[in-house]
Amino acid sequence: AMLGNKQLEISYKKYDKKESETLHVLPYALKEGGRRWYLVGYCNERKDGGNRIYALDRIKSLNETKDEFKIPKGYDVENEFYYSFGNYIPKEGEKPVTIKLKTTSREANYLRDLPLHKNQTELKSEGEDHFFSLKVIPNDKLIMELCKYFCRKVFQK
């Protein structure tokens, strides 16, 4: 459908909904993240003009329609997600912020092996303290990921 510029009709089941909904989507790209694959595209039923993302495992049925479309000139899926954490399309007006992290040597090793974001940088190390920076648009997924590294101290006695 992407290669042939054909719209899709999908039946999509969100986690927080009891029933699937039928949507007509202009498929722009496929994107992987968090061990899942996603369809990125424009949804005709959503009138806000923004693109949407659909987890492939929640698409219950998919049919190519006869309706054609053109991907917007200059569309770049990597650019759309550049400051995003996870597979969240930023809402209009959302701006990235610089987040600075102070870690232990152990946490620093994890962040070096598996960076939180592609623009993560290590700023400096001072003894056992290591400092990192990343520029992202914060969301719930980022908070959960940070808790994997840093919230254990909250629960220790």
Side-chain angles (χ1 to χ4, degrees):
M2 279 186 274
L3 296 175
N5 295 317
K6 298 290 186 180
Q7 293 186 36
L8 294 174
E9 180 179 272
I10 65 171
S11 176
Y12 190 74
K13 170 79 170 63
K14 292 182 180 180
Y15 282 140
D16 61 346
K17 302 290 183 188
K18 290 185 180 187
E19 302 293 326
S20 297
E21 60 182 328
T22 300
L23 303 168
H24 297 84
V25 178
L26 287 59
Y28 293 167
L30 290 173
K31 181 163 178 37
E32 186 275 333
R35 299 184 312 187
R36 279 200 170 116
W37 282 92
Y38 295 87
L39 170 65
V40 181
Y42 179 85
C43 178
N44 290 329
E45 283 75 18
R46 306 294 187 246
K47 302 300 179 191
D48 63 4
N51 290 335
R52 303 286 180 174
I53 188 162
Y54 302 96
L56 295 188
D57 61 319
R58 286 181 263 165
I59 295 176
K60 301 305 177 191
S61 68
L62 175 145
N63 294 297
E64 186 177 296
T65 71
K66 294 179 182 179
D67 297 321
E68 294 187 0
F69 75 97
K70 289 191 179 196
I71 293 177
K73 188 175 181 175
Y75 177 76
D76 180 352
V77 70
E78 293 304 318
N79 188 52
E80 182 155 31
F81 289 90
Y82 187 77
Y83 289 112
S84 182
F85 186 84
N87 283 323
Y88 289 92
I89 296 176
K91 295 181 176 98
E92 189 174 331
E94 285 184 314
K95 302 288 184 202
V97 298
T98 299
I99 297 174
K100 293 183 179 178
L101 304 170
K102 177 182 171 185
T103 73
T104 65
S105 293
R106 179 179 180 213
E107 293 155 347
N109 287 330
Y110 282 110
L111 293 176
R112 287 182 194 115
D113 285 346
L114 296 170
L116 291 170
H117 196 268
K118 58 189 156 205
N119 69 30
Q120 172 184 302
T121 57
E122 186 166 357
L123 301 172
K124 63 182 176 176
S125 294
E126 295 176 353
E128 284 295 308
D129 294 331
H130 304 270
F131 299 87
F132 292 84
S133 174
L134 56 144
K135 190 171 185 178
V136 295
I137 298 171
N139 59 37
D140 290 344
K141 177 89 171 157
L142 175 63
I143 293 167
M144 289 189 294
E145 190 69 16
L146 289 173
C147 281
K148 282 177 33 181
Y149 295 100
F150 304 107
C151 291
R152 66 181 164 79
K153 294 176 186 172
V154 173
F155 299 105
Q156 291 176 343
K157 291 184 180 184

